[in-house]
């Protein structure tokens, strides 16, 4: 199926379909120079399937992991494009998880001030969340996504068969963002996690629909879009405190969501879902390091306040601007993690 | 006087006024964290005058020259913003020539995916041309402006008194772009260069008006805006062939314009103006290196063609897509430079 993200001249289609990679040439114009950027953790047959359809395709394989999402690798991609004299009419395709999409997307946004970018997310997290919305970025000094752009892809290809080989923990990492989408905007999506068997196709589709609606209304995060940050303020703090290692992004976001759910019964239901998905609901963390990281977060406003996203009841989110000190209280005084 | 560039939610004012820097606080909100980025070739009293009006101002002084317009200095600025926990509501001000505006502008575009950017051009070239239009970028591997963004400033402050101390060659470097604006779009502006005394204020104003009209119609260079590249294809080629040294940007553009003026009488008038301004009209160049650089130019289309901008008669420009080979002919077979 196709989901169209309506953003005027920057509109694009998400193709959500088993086997979509195999018919990529029917979905996007590959008859030009194409650089396929992937990492060594992505099964090479996925990028090969793309390359096989490109008369002038090249592949760049980068090391797997968050430490690749940095300016040196951004420069590496730009140099590669320059080396082969890529022009404004050529195209860059990311094949991989959120790291590849964010990094390659920022390179596509910047090379010649923007060339066509196609995103082929191959992890659950990327298919559910990071591949749409047009936020691309790299990390700097251990701070996530601090240097980047708003840059929409020309197409997103979510091939569900890419998820078949994912380890369960990777799958759950992505599903945490789907639980988030359900909590803030879609009770039916949330309820899918309480069914006996997980209907993955429906979960991905409904998650994308939530994100599409929010992004269409607020492309560059002036207001509404901020609700997508639900769980991310504390989540990013936890992630940074772990020096970008130890827990996956979705696992950190899961932890970050719990204290922001105001209805105790809903919080209990969420914890049950997390347990089912083997997502963390607690643990031992360096609270000082988390507190330090929250300070540096983009969502901190410099006037001593920070905007948190809260869920008062299932399917609803609201922004709450509070003194930074309030986060300290949550971290140090409330029995939570 | 104020010139408003109308670009919807990205509209902004250019203040063209002697002494405008001294009343900057009346023109933009300085009551927040401000990073003033300048270089050691810019008179320090200019950035000091800005700092004096900022309750929370900091200054970053970078080395003068094109080699600063590169990713390592882009990173340096981002690190500085991060070090002082700049938020999305804070602001970056460039004080200097085109290098500062392009470099700091790209950092402002990218840090947190975009913070407020104020441009205070202090050279003729920057006041006349590079400070408006929203093209920001850095060079890579000696290729100019290859990594960047379209990012509009919140305000441009062109303080004519900054030009008083400029060496004559620097002034002429900027005026070359004003001659360009006259040639492609404004016969009256062109005629100002044939008057007995140069009316600098009128020249800058009319040049900005030309650029404003073009940018308003085509912000991201899909069509019309390309006419602003008049003289730049060969000009950039010459500039790159000199390893970004030897001749100034405006001097290279002047050389690049001459073979693109189709009316011989107009070409003669232009040469007279260049002579008056001590701009080059010929010289000895490495044509192979120029040819090599034109190949890598953004305006080359990858299918063996390149779009040149030509001036058939005064005040008119047209785009002409020709085989790359045509450029080789101009370079090697026509008596020109």
């Amino acid at each position: 199926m196709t989901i169209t993200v309506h953003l005027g001249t920057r509109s694009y289609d998400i193709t959500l379909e088993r086997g979509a990679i195999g018919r990529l040439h029917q979905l996007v114009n590959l008859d030009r120079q194409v650089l396929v950027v992937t990492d060594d953790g992505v099964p090479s047959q996925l990028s090969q399937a793309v390359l096989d359809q490109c008369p002038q395709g090249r592949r760049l394989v980068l090391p797997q992991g968050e430490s690749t999402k940095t300016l040196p690798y951004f420069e590496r991609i730009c140099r590669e494009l320059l080396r082969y004299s890529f022009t404004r009419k050529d195209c860059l395709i990311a094949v991989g998880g959120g790291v590849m999409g964010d990094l390659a997307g920022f390179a596509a946004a910047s090379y010649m001030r923007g060339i066509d970018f196609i995103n082929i997310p191959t992890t659950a997290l990327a298919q559910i969340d990071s591949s749409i919305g047009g936020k691309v970025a790299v990390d700097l000094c251990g701070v996530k996504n601090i240097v980047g752009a708003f840059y929409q892809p020309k197409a997103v290809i979510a091939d569900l068969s890419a998820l078949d080989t994912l380890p369960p923990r990777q799958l759950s990492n992505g599903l945490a963002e789907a639980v988030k989408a359900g909590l803030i905007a879609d009770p039916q999506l949330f309820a899918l996690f309480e069914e006996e068997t997980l209907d993955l196709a429906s979960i991905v589709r409904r998650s994308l629909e939530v994100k599409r609606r929010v992004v269409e209304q607020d492309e560059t995060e002036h207001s509404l879009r901020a609700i997508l940050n639900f769980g991310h303020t504390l989540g990013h703090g936890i992630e940074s405190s772990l020096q970008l290692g130890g827990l996956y992004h979705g696992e950190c976001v899961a932890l970050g969501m719990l204290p922001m759910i105001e209805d105790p019964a809903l919080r209990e239901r969420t914890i049950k879902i997390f347990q089912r998905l083997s997502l963390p609901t607690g643990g031992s963390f360096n609270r000082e390091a988390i507190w330090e990281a929250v300070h540096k977060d983009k969502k901190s406003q410099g006037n001593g306040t920070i905007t948190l996203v809260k869920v008062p009841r299932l399917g609803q989110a609201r922004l709450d601007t509070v003194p930074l000190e309030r986060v300290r209280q949550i971290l140090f005084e409330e029995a939570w993690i």
Side-chain angles (χ1 to χ4, degrees), chain A:
Chain A
M1 69 169 299
T2 300
I3 298 172
T4 302
V5 183
H6 296 280
L7 293 168
T9 56
R10 293 179 303 288
S11 297
Y12 60 96
D13 285 345
I14 306 166
T15 302
L16 177 63
E17 181 183 301
R18 272 198 170 266
I21 292 177
R23 63 180 197 93
L24 183 65
H25 61 285
Q26 296 170 341
L27 300 168
V28 298
N29 169 22
L30 297 175
D31 192 17
R32 47 183 166 169
Q33 283 220 83
V34 173
L35 182 67
V36 178
V37 180
T38 188
D39 71 51
D40 55 19
V42 178
S44 63
Q45 62 266 32
L46 294 177
S47 52
Q48 189 60 49
V50 174
L51 273 178
D52 287 346
Q53 301 171 67
C54 299
Q56 305 168 71
R58 296 176 190 281
R59 176 162 48 186
L60 177 64
V61 184
L62 301 175
Q64 182 180 25
E66 184 79 22
S67 58
T68 299
K69 212 176 106 174
T70 47
L71 285 171
Y73 287 100
F74 166 79
E75 178 172 344
R76 171 93 180 270
I77 297 173
C78 291
R79 280 179 184 265
E80 197 78 4
L81 294 166
L82 194 53
R83 182 174 164 200
Y84 296 108
S85 302
F86 271 59
T87 72
R88 280 196 178 134
K89 299 190 172 170
D90 295 324
C91 132
L92 195 157
I93 301 181
V95 179
V99 167
M100 281 302 105
D102 283 6
L103 170 71
F106 185 39
S110 305
Y111 181 74
M112 290 189 175
R113 300 193 184 89
I115 63 171
D116 281 3
F117 173 53
I118 314 292
N119 201 350
I120 304 185
T122 60
T123 64
L125 182 62
Q127 289 195 0
I128 283 169
D129 185 64
S130 65
S131 66
I132 69 160
K135 279 169 122 180
V136 294
V138 296
D139 308 332
L140 183 65
C141 303
V143 180
K144 280 180 69 85
N145 302 327
I146 195 76
V147 177
F150 289 100
Y151 192 70
Q152 301 299 338
K154 287 289 167 195
V156 175
I157 314 296
D159 187 336
L160 287 166
S161 66
L163 307 186
D164 294 344
T165 57
L166 279 187
R169 189 178 162 201
Q170 277 258 20
L171 188 62
S172 291
N173 177 42
L175 293 177
E177 291 280 359
V179 176
K180 180 197 81 175
L183 280 167
I184 61 174
D186 184 353
Q188 286 185 60
L189 169 55
F190 186 84
L192 284 174
F193 287 97
E194 297 174 322
E195 298 289 320
E196 212 158 304
T197 52
L198 283 186
D199 176 356
L200 201 57
S202 295
I203 287 173
V204 174
R205 182 177 57 75
R206 293 199 79 101
S207 302
L208 288 173
E209 288 287 1
V210 167
K211 188 146 184 187
R212 176 187 66 75
R213 287 198 302 272
V214 173
V215 169
E216 281 178 359
Q217 287 173 72
D218 178 21
E219 186 179 358
T220 53
E221 196 165 326
H222 288 291
S223 52
L224 178 69
R225 183 164 179 164
I227 68 168
L228 295 174
N229 291 326
F230 176 58
H232 282 64
T233 300
L234 291 171
H236 274 170
I238 294 169
E239 214 169 347
S240 294
S241 78
L242 299 167
Q243 304 288 314
L244 306 178
L247 284 185
Y248 289 166
H249 173 77
E251 294 172 338
C252 295
V253 170
L255 286 169
M257 285 192 263
L258 291 177
M260 300 296 143
I261 300 171
E262 297 181 311
D263 171 1
L266 181 60
R267 199 188 296 189
E268 281 312 307
R269 284 173 69 189
T270 308
I271 287 174
K272 284 218 178 71
I273 291 172
F274 286 176
Q275 285 165 344
R276 173 184 187 179
L277 298 174
S278 303
L279 287 167
T281 55
S284 154
F285 298 95
N286 179 343
R287 285 151 206 263
E288 274 300 342
I290 299 173
W291 170 239
E292 186 59 36
V294 169
H295 259 284
K296 289 216 169 137
D297 193 281
K298 288 193 296 301
K299 291 170 277 299
S300 151
Q301 271 131 43
N303 58 359
T305 66
I306 190 162
T307 298
L308 300 174
V309 188
K310 297 194 171 165
V311 165
R313 42 178 295 195
L314 183 56
Q316 291 183 1
R318 67 179 172 85
L319 303 183
D320 193 11
T321 299
V322 299
L324 262 170
E325 201 50 38
R326 176 74 193 102
V327 176
R328 202 181 165 83
Q329 272 176 4
I330 295 171
L331 275 171
F332 289 89
E333 292 168 28
E334 295 179 14
W336 152 58
I337 50 173

